[in-house]
């Protein structure tokens, strides 16, 4: 299901204690790929950790559209990565709007339901532009999160 959010004021949700947000870099590829693999049930995002790392590598290379390093964020505590929102300037797929597109939002299973995904999203949504994303309609927690941040069916 395609969801779109038009620019509107939005308060940034505070990060959980000890977590800071920063922009991603190519140097994060391996750790980000590992987290990506761990964040989904087996076979949902990638079949292996190696494939997940490769998927993140090609994300940085623009496979899914030019990665926006100013709209993408990582959640870090100490030296550990706990979550990410990855945004491209425009998705390359048919029937996607001409606006920033959230290609991934994921958090480590150990920190779920602590507001980290909302923090990542509300931070990236501070840019005064439309944003779009795709979500499985039966993923009720994700749909509710997106709707709480004013995403609407597109």
């Amino acid at each position: 299901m395609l969801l779109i959010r038009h620019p509107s004021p939005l308060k940034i949700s505070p990060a959980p204690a000890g977590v800071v947000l920063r922009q991603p870099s190519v140097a994060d590829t391996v750790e980000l790929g590992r987290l990506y693999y761990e964040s989904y049930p087996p076979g949902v995002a990638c079949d292996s950790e190696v494939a997940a790392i490769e998927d993140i590598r090609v994300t940085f290379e623009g496979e899914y559209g030019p990665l926006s390093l100013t709209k993408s964020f990582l959640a870090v505590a100490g030296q550990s990565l706990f979550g990410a929102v990855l945004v491209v300037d425009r998705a390359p797929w048919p029937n996607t709007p001409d606006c920033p597109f959230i290609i991934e939002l994921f958090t480590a299973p150990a920190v779920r339901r602590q507001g980290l995904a909302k923090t990542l999203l509300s931070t990236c949504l501070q840019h005064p532009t439309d944003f779009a994303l795709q979500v499985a309609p039966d993923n009720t927690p994700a749909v509710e999160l997106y709707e709480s941040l004013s995403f609407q069916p597109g």
Side-chain angles (χ1 to χ4, degrees):
M1 168 170 58
L2 178 68
L3 298 178
I4 298 175
R5 182 183 189 278
H6 301 293
S8 63
L10 179 67
K11 181 181 173 188
I12 294 178
S13 296
V19 174
V20 296
L21 300 188
R22 68 170 174 81
Q23 293 164 325
S25 76
V26 173
D28 297 308
T29 300
V30 172
E31 187 177 5
L32 190 54
R34 287 180 179 145
L35 177 62
Y36 180 48
Y37 179 68
E38 294 168 7
S39 297
Y40 288 95
V44 171
C46 292
D47 294 334
S48 69
E49 186 177 277
V50 170
I53 293 168
E54 175 64 12
D55 199 47
I56 296 298
R57 185 187 69 72
V58 300
T59 296
F60 277 107
E61 291 180 354
E63 179 74 17
Y64 307 113
L67 186 64
S68 174
L69 298 179
T70 61
K71 295 177 185 77
S72 298
F73 291 92
L74 305 182
V76 181
Q79 298 298 314
S80 299
L81 183 59
F82 287 98
V85 59
L86 301 176
V87 181
V88 295
D89 291 324
R90 187 186 190 304
W93 307 291
N95 303 319
T96 56
D98 186 14
C99 66
F101 197 90
I102 298 168
I103 58 168
E104 284 296 341
L105 171 66
F106 52 91
T107 59
V111 298
R112 296 225 171 105
R113 307 284 183 246
Q114 296 178 28
L116 187 54
K118 190 168 191 173
T119 298
L120 286 160
L121 276 172
S122 65
T123 301
C124 87
L125 296 173
Q126 294 302 305
H127 292 269
T129 185
D130 289 350
F131 280 84
L133 56 82
Q134 286 280 351
V135 62
D138 62 345
N139 187 344
T140 304
V143 171
E144 288 175 354
L145 170 64
Y146 300 137
E147 288 176 345
S148 78
L149 295 169
S150 301
F151 279 89
Q152 301 173 2

